[in-house]
Amino acid sequence: MQNNDYIENLCAFGLTRQEACIYSELLVHGKMTGYELSKETGISRSNVYVCLNALTDKGAAYIVEEESTKYIPVSVNQFTKNYISQIKTKAEYLLKNAPKKVLNTDGYITITGNTNIRNKIRQMINETKLRLYILAPSVIIRDFETELNQLIKRNVKVVIMTEGYKLKGARLYETKPEEGQIRFITDSSYVLTGEITGSEHDTCLYSGQSHLVEVMKEALKNKITLLGGK
């Protein structure tokens, strides 16, 4: 029985689910014919051959010409390295040749989904130049500790409002945010506010709109004052 998590992760490397299943069988059994793969996976022979052609095109398998045509897998290590290298090359090309359009951050951008929100938080932290204010549960903040430490090393001011959390070099205020609640302000210019519960339905608002930034700054300053800060 194939591991669903393993198959899902293979799909992240450009394989369809059927291709990932066939590739996984090749990894287990080694050299196989399309007929053998069809029997092993329960996938029709016509679909197996379509997938095998795709796997060879994508660099996940080789053809071995014997009395009957067989296929052998490229090792996972080599396949994933090759894929990452190709993606990196494509990413560099896109960055170099992307149309130059300025993102209007004066509006309000809704970001949905746990993964998308966390990616945006990471981007905001990495792009902070002067100061970062955070109000969030410690369980959320810990996920970004590596990035926060990098800010502190760059002498960026990091102010954290949370409960039961320590980070050397950061200014900490003890409080208990609502579960999943997050408030981020970076460089007095950008705001992210909303919640993270781990759900695909999580929603946050991101903006560089000056009025929202000022409102959020004032709210966090008032909270710091109430917590005995300056």
Side-chain angles (χ1 to χ4, degrees), residues 25-26 29-33 36 64 66 69-73:
E25 288 299 330
L26 284 173
H29 299 286
K31 194 162 49 175
M32 298 180 77
T33 65
E36 291 168 336
V64 180
E66 297 182 345
T69 301
K70 294 187 177 182
Y71 299 82
I72 59 171

Side-chain angles (χ1 to χ4, degrees), residues 64 76 91 119 122 162 187 189-190 203 205 212 216:
V64 180
V76 172
N119 287 341
R122 225 165 244 115
T162 191
D187 292 333
S189 300
Y190 303 100
T203 302
L205 185 69
L212 179 61
M216 188 70 67

Side-chain angles (χ1 to χ4, degrees), residues 1 9 17 27 32 37 52 56 58-59 68 80 82 91 93 107-108 117 133 159 165 172 179 190 199 217:
M1 184 175 179
N9 278 282
R17 189 167 184 83
L27 290 171
M32 298 180 77
L37 283 162
L52 285 170
T56 57
K58 294 175 181 180
S68 56
T80 54
N82 291 344
Y93 173 84
Y108 299 93
I117 293 170
Y133 287 81
V159 179
Y165 180 72
L172 298 157
E179 184 178 355
Y190 303 100
S199 166
K217 278 173 62 180

Side-chain angles (χ1 to χ4, degrees), residues 58-181:
K58 294 175 181 180
Y62 295 128
I63 298 172
V64 180
E65 296 292 352
E66 297 182 345
E67 289 185 9
S68 56
T69 301
K70 294 187 177 182
Y71 299 82
I72 59 171
V74 174
S75 72
V76 172
N77 180 53
Q78 192 60 51
F79 170 61
T80 54
K81 277 185 177 179
N82 291 344
Y83 184 87
I84 291 169
S85 177
Q86 291 166 10
I87 291 297
K88 184 178 178 182
T89 299
K90 292 178 187 297
E92 289 170 351
Y93 173 84
L94 291 174
L95 287 171
K96 183 178 179 181
N97 296 281
K100 302 297 186 291
K101 180 175 175 62
V102 177
L103 177 64
N104 180 9
T105 54
D106 290 335
Y108 299 93
I109 300 172
T110 300
I111 302 173
T112 58
N114 178 61
T115 299
N116 293 332
I117 293 170
R118 288 178 182 273
N119 287 341
K120 188 61 180 178
I121 290 172
R122 225 165 244 115
Q123 178 191 350
M124 289 179 71
I125 295 174
N126 290 334
E127 292 178 354
T128 301
K129 294 178 174 62
L130 300 173
R131 61 187 69 86
L132 171 66
Y133 287 81
I134 305 172
L135 171 67
S138 58
V139 67
I140 294 174
I141 294 172
R142 285 191 180 93
D143 287 343
F144 305 98
E145 195 165 292
T146 298
E147 289 83 1
L148 292 173
N149 274 315
Q150 290 299 317
L151 284 191
I152 292 168
K153 286 179 181 178
R154 290 196 279 116
N155 295 317
V156 173
K157 180 180 179 181
V158 176
V159 179
I160 299 174
M161 287 154 273
T162 191
E163 183 181 39
Y165 180 72
K166 302 295 181 185
L167 182 64
K168 186 177 179 181
R171 190 172 298 178
L172 298 157
Y173 294 96
E174 187 74 14
T175 187
K176 186 175 182 179
E178 296 177 18
E179 184 178 355
Q181 179 191 51

